[in-house]
Amino acid sequence: MNERHAKTLTMMLALPALLLPAVCLLYILFKGIPALDWAMLFGSAQGASFGSVTALWPQITGSLLLMLGACVLAAPVAFGGALFYALAASHRQQKVLLGMMHLLVGIPPIVYGLCGLIVLVHLLHWGISLLTGMVILAVIILPMLLLNSVNAINRIAVGRTEAAHALGLSNGEIIRRVWLPAAWPALLTGLLLGMARALSETAPVLFTATVFSGVAWPDSVFSPVTSLQTHIFYLAQEGANAQAVDIAWASAVVLVLLVTVLSFSASALRKIRVH
Amino acid sequence: MNIQKKIDVGLTIQQSAIKADQAHSLKLSGLSLELGGTPILRDISFALPVHGMNILIGPSGAGKSTLLRCLNLLHQSWQGDLHIMDKDVRTWPDGADALRRAVGLIAQKPSLFPCSIAQNVVFGLGRKARKQVSDEHIEQVLRQAALWGEVKDRLHDKALTLSVGQQQRLCIARALALAPKMLLLDEPTASLDPRSKQCIEASLLELAATMPVLCVTHDIEQAKRLGGQIIFMCDGHLIESGDSVDFFARPERIESREFLRWSVCDCS
Ligand SMILES: Nc1ncnc2c1ncn2[C@@H]1O[C@H](COP(=O)(O)OP(=O)(O)OP(=O)(O)O)[C@@H](O)[C@H]1O
Ligand SMILES: [Mg+2]
């Protein structure tokens, strides 16, 4: 096989990887954008009955609240865990921690949803609520955030950390003056990807946090919310109702745009090179 | 086993040679260290005078770097007893970080921080001291590290643009900026050109007049030039220590003679 054939062959293999997402994205935009207008995004949510809900802002805020709550809960634990890993853990504890996280990353989200439903909703009587959803989403994104933070710290040259120790810097100073300046783009990238992940999880949110209609703005963290994911899930089942399907597409566009913004910011940050 | 016996005998001889009433800046006895289940350092004892040059010499893998890291508690899992300035390092006032500021350690591989040359010099100082530090102080430590002439016009350039040899000297300046009571240097001239090597050696000798300097090298010629006390290590053991002139003229141990002749030693 000569050079040119190899090139053509690999290009053919790569083509689906390029085309499929592009086609999907274009199709979503093609279907969704005509259905989308200001009224649909920010109109009144009052008197909304099944399938004829025309305002999407309750769904958008619901999704964003769930996402932000999950990050606020998960990020400190993830960063703290990574610092424990890097500063205080014995070799064995490090291995156990990483092993656990790799294990948790692999568990299907619906299983977390089920656990949330059984333990938080029923046993602890939190009910279907914003808080339950935040906690479950936090648990789902925690392992990837923690592994990302550990990688970010591990990428800092060992010699530099050691030089800082040898100069008598305390652990706190090393974190602030050596690690954060070097690792913040990687940490933030991980956080953005975690946000994108929290925004796209559907099954656990359906189980634990959201209802289809009747909620615009949650009264407290103990009330249920609606979300774009839930909206799409229910509306898509109304295949015969053209308006419902239109709204599903419009919700899909909004969701895709939100996730894309997060992913693009993440990849833009990744380009920042810190020595 | 035979070798172990020889080493034990050697150690007893040395220990009796260290007079109890002599003043020492550092006194180490019976230091042993295991890393990952492998013994790396075994029962090392020596003392450093209140000032002067001390050379830690030995083949690659002898444990010289590891020993230096034990001395300023970068490794803490060792057994044994270490007193610096008559204070037990385990109970050093204000903890290990304060000890490390008092005992400057310059690593084998230079590692600078991604900021300017001047900021690197003062990196180890506290926040207040960093703000108040005078240009004279920066100049003085850079001079001591034989680097001033090359960087005096570019103090605010990124430190990482320096050559490796210059980086090594900047690391020395960075340690000196903390006004340490003692200097531990791990092959400070390994990546330097002959000219800078000469400058550094001269600076070290000058510093050694006021404080104890423990300098690792596996360059026998350099060890001869620097003089002072020689501590010869091999395979985690301290084989022989004593005055430089005596050591090079009449090494007592067969391992030392072998090392001086071939620069290698097969005690393992
Ligand atoms: N963290 C560690 N874990 C396990 N073994 C280690 C560790 N650090 C060093 N060693 C081992 O300890 C031994 C001594 O290493 P060290 O770096 O102290 O040697 P050295 O005398 O400084 O050699 P060189 O002259 O090449 O710098 C080596 O066999 C090395 O593999
Ligand atoms: Mg070494």
Side-chain angles (χ1 to χ4, degrees), chain A residues 182-220:
Chain A
W184 69 266
L187 292 176
L188 210 53
T189 302
L191 192 61
L192 287 171
L193 292 177
M195 289 164 93
R197 170 92 193 266
L199 206 51
S200 25
E201 283 305 342
T202 306
V205 168
L206 275 173
F207 274 20
T208 58
T210 57
V211 291
F212 173 62
S213 61
V215 185
W217 181 256
D219 301 326
S220 76

Side-chain angles (χ1 to χ4, degrees), chain A residues 32-43 54 56 250:
Chain A
I33 287 187
L36 206 60
D37 55 38
W38 284 117
M40 158 144 321
L41 284 176
F42 303 110
T54 48
L56 282 181

Side-chain angles (χ1 to χ4, degrees), chain B residues 35 40 59-66 108 187 218:
Chain B
L35 289 175
I40 306 284
S60 184
K64 306 181 295 293
S65 301
T66 311
Q108 192 161 4
E187 305 198 22
H218 50 219

Side-chain angles (χ1 to χ4, degrees), chain B residues 18-95:
Chain B
I18 298 170
K19 285 189 208 107
D21 54 350
Q22 211 171 315
H24 295 302
S25 54
L26 177 149
K27 208 168 168 192
L28 176 67
S29 45
L31 180 139
S32 304
L33 175 76
E34 281 189 8
L35 289 175
T38 332
I40 306 284
L41 299 173
R42 290 174 253 208
D43 197 19
I44 297 199
S45 307
F46 62 82
L48 302 186
V50 283
H51 57 80
M53 180 59 76
N54 303 271
I55 305 293
L56 186 54
I57 196 169
S60 184
K64 306 181 295 293
S65 301
T66 311
L67 177 58
L68 286 199
R69 292 143 60 92
C70 290
L71 296 184
N72 85 342
L73 297 183
L74 283 176
H75 285 305
Q76 303 205 351
S77 57
W78 45 265
Q79 316 281 310
D81 184 59
L82 172 60
H83 279 75
I84 291 180
M85 318 284 168
D86 288 324
K87 283 185 285 236
D88 190 341
V89 295
R90 301 276 191 195
T91 54
W92 194 266
D94 301 327

Side-chain angles (χ1 to χ4, degrees), chain A residues 210-239:
Chain A
T210 57
V211 291
F212 173 62
S213 61
V215 185
W217 181 256
D219 301 326
S220 76
V221 289
F222 293 106
S223 19
V225 286
T226 66
S227 78
L228 288 166
Q229 302 97 301
T230 317
H231 215 50
I232 297 170
F233 178 79
Y234 282 111
L235 290 176
Q237 295 170 359
E238 296 290 304

Side-chain angles (χ1 to χ4, degrees), chain A residues 65-137:
Chain A
L65 278 178
L66 282 167
M67 173 194 87
L68 289 177
C71 287
V72 166
L73 292 175
V77 181
F79 295 158
L83 290 180
F84 166 74
Y85 175 93
L87 289 174
S90 68
H91 193 61
R92 192 136 132 242
Q93 288 167 325
Q94 290 183 330
K95 265 173 61 184
V96 171
L97 187 69
L98 281 200
M100 290 272 289
M101 290 301 132
H102 282 297
L103 190 78
L104 292 181
V105 163
I107 292 180
I110 195 154
V111 176
Y112 287 111
L114 185 65
C115 294
L117 184 68
I118 306 288
V119 179
L120 301 181
V121 175
H122 293 317
L123 281 179
L124 296 180
H125 301 295
W126 288 10
I128 302 277
S129 67
L130 185 55
L131 181 66
T132 319
M134 286 171 172
V135 170
I136 289 302
L137 284 178

